Amino acid sequence: METQHPDQLYRGRFGTLLVGSRSKLNDRVSLYEETRRTTGYGQAGLLHAFGVDLVLTERWSTGLKMETGTISDPPNGDIKRRVVALSMGYNATVLASSL
């Protein structure tokens, strides 16, 4: 549990609890899931994220993440959140194999 003061407009404590897991299916594919619960004075929410990471080559990787949940903000009302994100990475520091 982490406490912080996220915004000067809110008084009081703000907490975040993050629970998740990652499973590696093989050398190229891993799956993960996480749940984030925020509480405190002001915004509160419950978000769920699911994703898959793929290693295409020793330099290139890609991933897909889906997130859903609700953020409750008393002055502005509830915000329903649905997100899909695609990522791609390039590793330029791959070590050359020794001869």
Side-chain angles (χ1 to χ4, degrees):
M1 189 72 142
E2 178 182 329
T3 59
Q4 58 184 338
H5 197 271
D7 194 339
Q8 295 299 325
L9 298 176
Y10 296 130
R11 295 183 186 157
R13 292 189 177 261
F14 186 84
T16 301
L17 177 64
L18 178 67
V19 178
S21 65
R22 179 175 289 271
S23 298
K24 191 172 182 178
L25 298 180
N26 56 39
D27 288 341
R28 295 188 177 260
V29 180
S30 64
L31 304 171
Y32 65 91
E33 151 312 296
E34 67 182 34
T35 300
R36 186 178 328 128
R37 174 79 172 151
T38 56
T39 58
Y41 187 82
Q43 290 184 345
L46 179 62
L47 298 171
H48 305 283
F50 308 93
V52 60
D53 291 326
L54 304 169
V55 177
L56 302 175
T57 66
E58 68 179 17
R59 291 191 184 264
W60 287 98
S61 63
T62 187
L64 176 66
K65 177 179 181 179
M66 295 171 278
E67 190 172 299
T68 184
T70 303
I71 300 171
S72 176
D73 188 5
N76 300 315
D78 289 349
I79 301 168
K80 298 224 183 257
R81 181 178 170 109
R82 291 193 176 100
V83 178
V84 175
L86 180 63
S87 64
M88 182 160 269
Y90 179 77
N91 184 359
T93 60
V94 175
L95 300 174
S97 60
S98 60
L99 297 175

